[in-house]
Amino acid sequence: MHLSAVTIMASLEVHGRTASEIAQHCDLCAEGDENIPAEAYCTVCNEFMCTQCATSHQRSRLGRNHKLVDKDSMPRKQSEKDQEYVNEYCKDHPRELVKYFCPTHGDLLCGDCVVKNSHTCKLQVIAEVSKGYRKSTEFKQHEEQLKKITDKISKTKHNIDSKTVSVEDSKSQSVKQVRTFQAELINAINKMSDEITTDIETKAQTTLALISNLKTTSKSGELKVLSMANVIENCKENDVFLFIATHRTKEIVTNVSKQIDEAENALTSVPQYSFTENDKVKSLLQKTTNIGLYEQMLKSGVNTNQHGK
């Protein structure tokens, strides 16, 4: 139903009620600190409008197809209108409420976004498109993706902890072997013993530093996912909140998933070492380059080189 300025003015008295008896005021003028009685109500934008704003709204590209109702049909109380839209503000225009969704670009827009950017895409009204959203395939897929990334993080954390224990055990065992082997040698090989010990400690520290970085990445992803999951859970009772929260977290979920995949791949490349005694040194107790090797292990558990230098 389109209202002309004459029609709006003619509705100043409806069934004996005057403008002073209807408490609504123009939402658009109120943003400029003007208190002007509302003469119409846009059912799409969920806003009360004065005569001038209603006329301008119907002439605009955005509002020309919107349905406006007169004072007799508009909500009787401000609270009736407030229940129809969410108090969620635009990230680019903090004083404007998010009202529209662009399915082409996945953007959440306010009225200022549409006007200032001359948005040419076919927009959807969030209050309408979000109805029943919690049952939608899109939300279910997003929720499932959150679950998958949570499980992936849990698995990666477990693997990181296991790898840490393995490296620590390897370091401990290798150092013990070095010290035991060293005790069997004469003073002439003390220098070589110190060199291999230093090599073990250096490689272990380097390896643990790599693992620590992966653990930090995993923890960061976990915190982000937990935060997103809490936001989603808190929004499940309100489809509008849920719709907005879902679209705001999609990119974050994708980035976290990519980071975790990279961490998991990097974890498989973390080197593993073990100490191997030098048989020649052990049997001959003669001077050699070193008393053993602390080498990276193959996946089968076999050292890359079982022969000492």
Side-chain angles (χ1 to χ4, degrees), residues 104-250:
T104 302
H105 300 92
D107 294 332
L108 301 167
L109 308 169
C110 68
D112 281 3
C113 292
V114 176
V115 174
K116 293 181 179 181
N117 298 329
S118 300
H119 217 290
T120 58
C121 299
K122 185 176 181 180
L123 304 182
Q124 297 173 335
V125 179
I126 293 178
E128 296 177 358
V129 74
S130 65
K131 291 179 180 178
Y133 186 68
R134 75 192 68 183
K135 297 181 180 180
S136 68
T137 300
E138 180 182 45
F139 170 67
K140 290 179 179 178
Q141 291 175 342
H142 186 66
E143 192 172 40
E144 181 63 24
Q145 191 173 12
L146 281 175
K147 182 180 181 302
K148 288 181 179 179
I149 187 64
T150 299
D151 293 341
K152 184 186 295 185
I153 289 174
S154 178
K155 177 182 177 182
T156 300
K157 284 178 58 183
H158 174 74
N159 292 340
I160 288 175
D161 291 340
S162 296
K163 180 71 75 172
T164 300
V165 171
S166 177
V167 171
E168 291 285 5
D169 288 345
S170 174
K171 182 186 78 169
S172 177
Q173 182 64 24
S174 296
V175 171
K176 182 179 178 180
Q177 286 179 283
V178 169
R179 296 308 183 190
T180 300
F181 192 38
Q182 176 186 350
E184 300 174 358
L185 302 177
I186 60 177
N187 293 333
I189 65 172
N190 284 341
K191 180 180 179 180
M192 292 181 287
S193 176
D194 291 336
E195 290 175 349
I196 189 62
T197 301
T198 300
D199 184 48
I200 291 172
E201 294 290 349
T202 300
K203 289 178 178 177
Q205 290 175 8
T206 300
T207 303
L208 291 173
L210 293 175
I211 295 176
S212 178
N213 290 336
L214 299 179
K215 194 169 186 177
T216 299
T217 299
S218 174
K219 183 63 177 177
S220 174
E222 180 184 30
L223 293 176
K224 290 180 181 179
V225 170
L226 286 177
S227 177
M228 289 184 288
N230 287 335
V231 171
I232 292 295
E233 185 64 30
N234 292 334
C235 292
K236 284 187 177 180
E237 296 302 321
N238 185 304
D239 287 333
V240 175
F241 282 133
L242 192 61
F243 181 90
I244 294 173
T246 296
H247 284 275
R248 279 183 172 171
T249 57
K250 277 186 175 182

Side-chain angles (χ1 to χ4, degrees), residues 36-62:
I36 300 178
E39 309 295 343
Y41 176 73
C42 178
T43 61
V44 176
C45 298
N46 299 310
E47 291 183 327
F48 292 106
M49 301 180 184
C50 64
T51 302
Q52 183 176 354
C53 289
T55 301
S56 299
H57 188 62
Q58 286 195 308
R59 290 175 178 174
S60 69
R61 179 177 60 82
L62 178 64

Side-chain angles (χ1 to χ4, degrees), residues 67 95 99 133 136 152 188 241 273 279 292:
K67 179 181 178 181
R95 298 184 63 182
K99 296 179 181 178
Y133 186 68
S136 68
K152 184 186 295 185
F241 282 133
Y273 302 94
D279 291 334

Side-chain angles (χ1 to χ4, degrees), residues 6-30:
V6 175
T7 302
I8 295 173
M9 292 300 294
S11 66
L12 284 173
E13 288 195 19
V14 181
H15 299 295
R17 294 183 298 123
T18 64
S20 62
E21 294 172 337
I22 300 176
Q24 286 80 338
H25 293 83
C26 178
D27 289 329
L28 303 180
C29 292

